[in-house]
Amino acid sequence: MQSAHTMPSPATASPRYARCIENSKRIRWDIDRDVIRQREFGAADKFLPDGMTLLEERLAFLSPGERRFLNRIQGRTYANMFGLIERFVGAKMLEVSRDHWFGDQVALEALVRFTDEELKHQELFRRIEGLAARCMPAGYLFVPEPNTVAQFVLGKCTWAVLALTCDVELVTQVHYRESIAVDAEISPLFKDVFLFHWKEESQHAVLDELEWQREDAKLTPEERDAAVDDLIALVAGVDGLLQLQAQADCTYFMANKPQAGVLDAGEVETVRNALLAAYRWQYIHSGVAQVRFGELLTGLITPAQGQRIQGALAGLQ
Ligand SMILES: [Fe+2]
Ligand SMILES: [Fe+2]
């Protein structure tokens, strides 16, 4: 395994940062004018594609109405999860922008725009949570607290945080392009939220790559080895959140499900496990499976480090 670092030289760094600025300006959107446009969700709207929720394949014993309700719960959690992640992503980008303060002003502008966009996305996802609350029964709980999670994540080294960020920001693109955009049944408002989000995330994923590689070039082999452990700890931390949220979403489902029939304890456990499997797919495995992320990661680490990461992921099935 080569650990040759592909950090762009100073002469070539700016063109990629500059293109991100250009694209960011060209596609810039407004929450009310472009995304929400005074729309609301309908009471039976579908939020997420079946390939992301895993409901059709794992919970066929539920009625279509129950599965639709679970789809809406997962969609609400999906929007909240991105709002949560963006808290630490924005803070980390502000932090790494320090390296550019008195250097590449184009790179600095790209990272400032990135942070500004993440603040806007958090506002968008708060608005979406408010709209979802208006058309779903009371009692939904999004468990993770953004600042607590951000403190945990930002306690790990920058290399690991940028690796996780790059993964998540590539995920938003793959989910939108390959699943959400092509599902004709999804709520037009929900689809637009992730269309507009994807447009800005496309620039973020490029900037993640540039900053991750720039950070990697600063590390000794020993520091990089420790950074791999931090990345594994971050993935375990994410999984802990997913377990809590799967439990909370299962409890909310049981308390509010549309059909009055009672599920036995085994069926409730099956619902909880299906939610956890879907969340692990959405936030962990579908990201790691992306070719681009794999190329970037294996370009920076040794085969032994890659096996450590694979071993940790294998425990999350
Ligand atoms: Fe975002
Ligand atoms: Fe982003």
Side-chain angles (χ1 to χ4, degrees), residues 110-125:
L111 294 185
V112 168
R113 293 188 76 89
F114 181 142
T115 309
D116 175 57
E117 287 160 1
E118 293 298 23
L119 289 166
K120 180 177 66 175
H121 298 175
Q122 289 179 64
E123 166 67 11
L124 172 63
F125 292 125

Side-chain angles (χ1 to χ4, degrees), residues 86 89 114 118 121 165 169 172 197 200-201 204-205 208:
E86 287 165 342
V89 170
F114 181 142
E118 293 298 23
H121 298 175
T165 303
E169 301 206 301
T172 62
H197 188 239
E200 290 185 340
E201 291 300 319
H204 297 185
D208 294 333

